[in-house]
Every structure is written in C-alpha cells, then in structure tokens.
Amino acid sequence: MFDVAIIGAGPAGLSAGLYAARAKLSTIIIEKMYPGGQAAMTYRIENYPGFSDGIGGAELAEAMKSQAERFGAKILNNGAVKIVKEDNIFNIILDDDNVEAKTVILAAGASAKKLGVKGEIEFTGRGVSYCATCDGAFYANKTVAVVGGGDTAIEEALFLTRFASKVYVIHRRNQLRATKILQERAFQNSKISFIWDSVVDEIRGKDTVNELVVKNVKTGELESISVDGIFVAIGQTPLTDFVKDIISLDNQGYIITNEHMMTNVPGIFAAGDIRQKPLRQVITAASDGAVAAVEAGRFIESMQ
Ligand code: NAP
C-alpha cells in the first residue's frame, strides 16, 4: 500500500510525485503512455521560468521524472480504469493490475479534441495528426493545414513552417484566441496563410490526405484546398471518464476542486489540466501538483 498514488505523469503528476516523495511519503505515479504528457510533445517551452532560452518539452519532462525518482517516487506504466473506496483505502483498478493507496492525486490531464468530420478517423495517421512535434518532419516541402485559433494551433503552425512550404491556419472566427506574441509571429511568417471564419467540412484523400473541403461559416460557401496533411488543434477533453461516477465534474468534464486541490471525495485530489481552472500551463500544473501533494500529506496525518 502506498501513501500517495498519482494518476498521470505529466508536469502536474511529476511535481506531485516530487513533493510527496521528498516529504517521505511512499509514492507511486501511474502513467498509461509516457512521462511528460502533452508537455513532452511540445517542441520548445518558452514560458517555464528558469530557462532563459526555453527548453525542449521532452527534456523538461525527463528532468522532472528523474527529479521525482531521485526522491523515491516509483513510476508504473499502466492505465487506471476505476477507483473503489474500501474502508479508508482507495483501490485503484488498473488495466492489468491494481494499486492500494491512502490518498489519490488525479493528474491524467486532457487529450486532443476531434473535429468529428468525415474522413478524420479514416485518415488519422495518414495525413490527420494531433501533434506537430510528433509528425511535422514528415511534411518537408509540403502543404499542411492547422485547424484552430488558440495557443496550440498557432504554436503548431509556427513549428510546421520549419518543414512545410505552406501552412494554412483554418479558424472558425476572424480573430485568434492565441496570445499576442504568438499571433505576431504567425502574422509575420510568410509561409502561414489564414483562412478565416471557416471550418473543415470534410477530409479527403486516397492512401493519404490530399484535399480539405472548407466551409465559410458566414456565407456557407464550400471551398476545396489541396493539402498533404492536417493538424487538428481545437482544444482538449479532460481524461476524467474513469472517475466520473465518484468525482464532481463541471459541464465540460473537468474536475471541480478547491484551492487546496481537494475534490468532493476526501482523500482524492486533482492537479493540472484535468481540473477546472483559469490557466492551463506547465507552470500552473506544477504548482497544482505541489499543493495536492502537500495536502495529501496533511490528509494522511489527519487520519492518524
Ligand atoms: P483553446 O485555447 O481551447 O483553443 C481552441 C481553439 O480551437 C479556439 O481557437 C477555438 O475557437 C477552436 N475550436 C474549438 N472547437 C472547435 C471546433 N469544433 N471547430 C473548429 N475550431 C474549434 O485550446 P488550446 O489552443 O489547445 O489551448 C489549451 C490551453 O493550453 C489554453 O489554456 C492555452 O493557453 C494553453 N496553451 C498554452 C501554450 C503556451 O503558453 N505556450 C501553448 C499551448 C497551449 P474559438 O477561438 O472560436 O473558441
């Protein structure tokens, strides 16, 4: 049995792991994929303090993982399916294992939202991608489109200009949501063209994507554009399905916590992108993780 079981090894989970293990609490971090979460897929992180020239997402994630492990946090590669409370112990049912713990920190983050249009599922991995850092290099001297107007979409578009000869940004409004510094960089980049007030209606291709049908939401007009790939960056869906029966969520599925990261279930905390919050960044995820771990320690003390 562990003092603290953390579900998710992104910046929130790894920071929680660091704080819990360093406080001499026996700590396990359960991760389905790879440590670092979405941050590990980010080419360069420029807004995490301490790295004046920025740092690669994968490099930052690896450093966070090593730091948590150095203090004794264990990382287990497995997926959480369900949490069952038995007396004062939480039994976390995993894909092919189970873990018992006195407290749980939910830090599973969020995953990329799907467009839900014809061709999207069919061409995923064959021209449809949700991660420019992962797949951008396949598009050297090609034409790609990015869908979305937030920070992720604009960062992805800028990143893709390293490889592609042309990058369309397709946005459903005529104004970006992304921070001004990213907007300025995108507007100044001659490889990026904006298609405003438009949504993707259909993704077409043969073996791989070669065409998008784009609809202007103001005029209803349909236009076909030739592309070799499409990167979808229209926001996130919190990974809360496995706790939705026991934890209070908001109407978008994010976990509701107080500022101590406590959920509605005493002993279960949440940290990072998985919870309802005003700013989802590596720095706020790390902060949430630290608070959740300290509160988990206090909870254990209060039970003794
Ligand atoms: P986001 O901020 O929610 O932006 C999603 C974008 O996709 C919006 O422009 C939205 O349009 C558009 N969109 C949503 N649903 C759509 C649909 N069905 N069809 C077409 N377009 C759709 O998501 P995000 O960019 O992934 O960012 C998530 C969070 O991470 C944000 O808090 C962001 O600040 C943060 N983040 C920060 C950084 C950084 O600081 N460097 C980098 C990446 C992400 P509307 O604008 O019309 O709503």
Side-chain angles (χ1 to χ4, degrees):
M1 162 137 61
F2 290 88
D3 291 321
V4 185
I6 298 161
I7 300 174
L14 292 171
S15 302
L18 165 65
Y19 271 72
R22 195 164 174 272
K24 302 280 181 215
L25 300 168
S26 59
T27 302
I28 188 163
I29 308 174
I30 301 158
E31 170 59 56
K32 194 176 185 164
M33 311 256 281
Y34 46 82
Q38 296 195 68
M41 291 198 299
T42 305
Y43 176 68
R44 212 146 183 91
I45 295 174
E46 287 186 329
N47 52 5
Y48 192 73
F51 302 96
S52 53
D53 296 326
I55 181 168
E59 195 186 338
L60 180 61
E62 185 52 40
M64 287 183 173
K65 173 180 168 272
S66 309
Q67 201 175 356
E69 284 177 326
R70 180 159 80 83
F71 290 101
K74 293 198 168 32
I75 299 190
L76 175 70
N77 188 228
N78 220 315
V81 175
K82 199 175 173 180
I83 300 175
V84 181
K85 192 172 179 192
E86 290 159 1
D87 302 322
N88 279 330
I89 302 301
F90 296 104
N91 187 7
I92 305 162
I93 318 289
L94 305 177
D95 285 332
D96 44 26
D97 203 347
N98 74 310
V99 163
E100 287 186 338
K102 294 178 190 166
T103 61
V104 179
I105 298 174
L106 302 170
S111 70
K113 263 191 204 161
K114 307 274 183 290
L115 283 171
V117 299
K118 195 167 168 211
E120 183 177 23
I121 292 172
E122 185 187 345
F123 289 109
T124 292
R126 294 190 294 130
V128 176
S129 171
Y130 300 86
C131 174
T133 316
C134 318
D135 300 329
F138 295 123
Y139 295 91
N141 302 315
K142 304 230 159 145
T143 300
V144 295
V146 175
V147 187
D151 284 332
T152 306
I154 302 309
E155 274 192 352
E156 302 244 297
L158 287 163
F159 178 74
L160 285 163
T161 61
R162 289 164 181 265
F163 312 99
S165 51
K166 187 171 183 63
V167 179
Y168 291 106
V169 172
I170 303 169
H171 184 37
R172 64 182 178 183
R173 292 187 293 136
N174 63 2
Q175 232 180 354
L176 297 175
R177 179 182 290 280
T179 44
K180 286 281 179 277
I181 187 163
L182 291 174
Q183 294 197 21
E184 280 164 19
R185 284 182 200 165
F187 292 143
Q188 279 162 15
N189 194 311
S190 59
K191 284 189 175 180
I192 298 181
S193 295
F194 288 87
I195 303 180
W196 299 110
D197 297 315
S198 298
V199 293
V200 174
D201 200 57
E202 188 180 339
I203 299 165
R204 291 181 179 165
K206 285 193 177 128
D207 294 334
T208 58
V209 169
N210 60 25
E211 181 190 358
L212 298 180
V213 179
V214 174
K215 182 172 151 188
N216 184 304
V217 292
K218 288 196 168 151
T219 62
E221 218 170 284
L222 294 174
E223 183 195 357
S224 160
I225 60 167
S226 296
V227 297
D228 301 292
I230 166 171
F231 290 80
V232 180
I234 59 166
Q236 318 286 325
T237 307
L239 296 169
T240 47
D241 239 28
F242 71 106
V243 290
K244 67 175 191 289
D245 297 337
I246 55 166
I247 300 290
S248 296
L249 308 177
D250 70 8
N251 58 10
Q252 289 177 34
Y254 289 99
I255 295 173
I256 298 168
T257 67
N258 63 12
E259 64 176 322
H260 299 268
M261 306 301 137
M262 292 166 176
T263 68
N264 58 306
V265 177
I268 302 188
F269 303 83
D273 285 5
I274 199 167
R275 74 180 190 96
Q276 185 188 63
K277 61 193 290 193
L279 183 64
R280 293 194 173 87
Q281 305 268 296
V282 178
I283 189 171
T284 60
S287 162
D288 285 2
V291 173
V294 169
E295 293 294 344
R298 287 187 182 142
F299 179 83
I300 292 168
E301 268 174 32
S302 75
M303 298 297 281
Q304 283 161 0

